[in-house]
Amino acid sequence: MKLSYSFTLASLGLLLSGAAWPQSTAPQVSTVATPVTTLNSIPPSNAGQAVGTNKPAETSAVTLKFTGFVRNDFSFDSRQTVNLREASVDLYPRDKQVDVNGLDVNAVTNFNMLAINSRLGAVFTGPDAFGAKTSGLLEMEWFGPSDAAVGGVRLRHAWAKLDWPKRQLAFGQFWHPLFVPEVFPGVVNFNTGIPFQPFNRSPQIRLTEHLSKDISLILALIAQRDFTSIGLNGGSSEYIRNSAVPNLHAQLQLKRDRVVAGLAFDYKVIRPRLSTGSGTSLLVSKATVGSSAVMAYLKVIGRATTLKIEALKGSNMTDHVMLGGFLAYGTPAAGTTPALETAYKPTGITSIWAELMGNGKTIIPAIFVGYSKNTGNDPNAVAAYGRGIGIGGRGGIDNLFRIAPRLEVVSGRFRIGTELELTTAGYGTSSTDARVTAAEQITNTRLLLTTVYSF
């Protein structure tokens, strides 16, 4: 059930003062059949519009709608995985780790049951501001801010919008523009198709200019918070903060009734460290890492099925939970002395995924396929920072492949889904350019059953 509350500022004053609600200003409660999942799915409020005119009347009305779901995941993995939040989100299988008897330590099955992916949010509209319709979204989950805080409350979205007829200006934490709410994998797994597609929520300022009825230009300045680049001190927002340059994004999007398509360009700069050496050898480090990504996507809704395709070529995409990172160059290590890092370069990836899904309302079959390839960078690096990359020995990943057929059954607000996810990682020997040779395919099979009750 979704609750919708409408009240005036005068009514709010009565509530705060403890006075009884007058009959004319009592909260209006109604039930709505369709749950709201993202703020973008809600059109700007037209509350208070005068009848027979195109101009909105002045109004102080506020509406509030609660939305969310209770979700339970039951999973079984055929081996150990690289994952997040007690294996709630699996990325790819762990490499072999052979013991003295030749047995693989990571060839151990795993079973889990979790409800931490449940969610609660509030969507609201309010009085006009600056001649624009106002709306917002505040949403939380119990996924936790880190693996050490599983079950803790985490902020997902804190998003406020100003909508004019041909322009939208929005502020706060929301999906990074490389994650397109209209075109993302609908997999049962909570990993939402990562690491094959960008997944990131970040603080940002976003301008959407409606160039025509169907075409929009999206421009954004973005920071990092929960989804951060990986560097010398692990995952942290300090690297982009110390660069003093926001993540820059531009995207052209086409939206029609049955087609969504777009082309996006993204650029960011991070500063891996402030200094090198110590004591009498301490030096300021001004070296930065510039990286970019180009992405294209398409969704076509047919009579019986929906097709989604997305392709990305980028570098240093760890803040989007993808493969790669960056390499350090400089004076090689001598004995126990750390290398003097004087320059950095990002490692590249090419990633593509596709999904074919049935359009049924009760029984919904679908299949997801994804592929990602590590393309490295220049040789002679002295260190590597990131996910699935290295500069020597075994452990780097050359490629990832996933195929995941699924079936969902829907009755009212209750959904039961099952999925068989096969993910293969090509582990091998890393060269000093982070490219991998002699890759050996290691596979994990995840069987997943999920129940979701939406309200």
Side-chain angles (χ1 to χ4, degrees), residues 154 199-202 223-229 319-321:
R154 180 172 76 163
F199 188 94
N200 180 306
R201 292 184 299 272
S202 293
Q224 293 182 1
R225 179 57 188 93
D226 292 335
F227 295 81
T228 58
S229 298
D319 53 322
H320 295 271
V321 202

Side-chain angles (χ1 to χ4, degrees), residues 39-374:
L39 181 59
N40 285 349
S41 65
I42 302 176
S45 170
N46 291 320
Q49 182 169 316
V51 177
T53 70
N54 293 323
K55 296 182 179 180
E58 290 296 327
T59 177
S60 59
V62 175
T63 67
L64 175 65
K65 298 181 180 180
F66 290 103
T67 182
F69 52 76
V70 176
R71 173 178 171 129
N72 287 275
D73 294 307
F74 310 84
S75 63
F76 175 86
D77 289 298
S78 63
R79 69 178 289 111
Q80 300 296 294
T81 62
V82 175
N83 57 67
L84 304 171
R85 306 305 189 274
E86 296 181 1
S88 171
V89 174
D90 64 312
L91 301 182
Y92 44 82
R94 288 190 181 276
D95 192 11
K96 287 182 177 179
Q97 183 180 359
V98 180
D99 71 0
V100 294
N101 295 315
L103 300 178
D104 183 4
V105 173
N106 290 324
V108 176
T109 56
N110 184 273
F111 169 73
N112 206 3
M113 298 172 61
L114 287 169
I116 62 173
N117 296 322
S118 300
R119 191 175 303 167
L120 178 64
V123 180
F124 47 90
T125 64
D128 296 354
F130 307 107
K133 298 300 177 184
T134 64
S135 56
L137 169 65
L138 188 63
E139 189 176 64
M140 63 181 179
E141 64 184 356
W142 284 261
F143 194 68
S146 66
D147 285 328
V150 173
V153 176
R154 180 172 76 163
L155 176 70
R156 282 177 56 85
H157 299 297
W159 192 233
K161 300 193 305 177
L162 296 168
D163 278 283
W164 293 273
K166 293 185 178 181
R167 183 174 296 116
Q168 180 189 99
L169 187 60
F171 308 85
Q173 180 166 301
F174 194 61
W175 290 116
H176 190 288
L178 283 177
F179 182 96
V180 183
E182 297 85 359
V183 188
F184 71 92
V187 294
V188 171
N189 198 319
F190 201 67
N191 64 25
T192 322
I194 54 176
F196 302 95
Q197 75 130 15
F199 188 94
N200 180 306
R201 292 184 299 272
S202 293
Q204 60 192 278
I205 301 173
R206 186 188 299 193
L207 172 67
T208 302
E209 194 75 18
H210 303 298
L211 305 180
S212 68
K213 177 183 176 182
D214 302 324
I215 300 176
S216 297
L217 174 65
I218 300 170
L219 303 173
L221 301 176
I222 308 160
Q224 293 182 1
R225 179 57 188 93
D226 292 335
F227 295 81
T228 58
S229 298
I230 297 176
L232 284 73
N233 298 320
S236 174
S237 66
E238 67 179 86
Y239 313 120
I240 193 168
R241 288 189 285 113
N242 288 336
S243 77
V245 179
N247 180 182
L248 306 176
H249 185 92
Q251 183 174 155
L252 198 61
Q253 186 179 81
L254 168 71
K255 289 179 67 174
R256 293 181 177 172
D257 290 341
R258 293 186 172 272
V259 176
V260 178
L263 181 65
F265 175 77
D266 198 75
Y267 179 77
K268 68 175 177 284
V269 178
I270 65 171
R271 186 172 177 174
R273 64 195 311 165
L274 300 181
S275 65
T276 59
S278 62
T280 58
S281 63
L282 181 67
L283 292 172
V284 171
S285 175
K286 297 182 179 180
T288 60
V289 186
S291 59
S292 61
V294 177
M295 185 181 79
Y297 57 89
L298 172 69
K299 178 172 78 171
V300 179
I301 303 175
R303 290 186 178 182
T305 59
T306 294
L307 175 65
K308 304 174 191 175
I309 300 176
E310 185 176 281
L312 178 144
K313 186 174 181 61
S315 57
N316 194 20
M317 299 293 292
T318 55
D319 53 322
H320 295 271
V321 202
M322 302 183 80
L323 282 181
F326 62 93
L327 304 178
Y329 298 82
T331 304
T336 59
T337 303
L340 179 61
E341 300 176 0
T342 58
Y344 301 94
K345 295 181 181 180
T347 64
I349 61 166
T350 299
S351 189
I352 186 170
W353 64 265
E355 179 180 84
L356 185 64
M357 179 178 68
N359 291 340
K361 301 297 183 182
T362 303
I363 299 177
I364 309 172
I367 187 169
F368 168 89
V369 178
Y371 178 80
S372 184
K373 170 73 173 178
N374 165 27

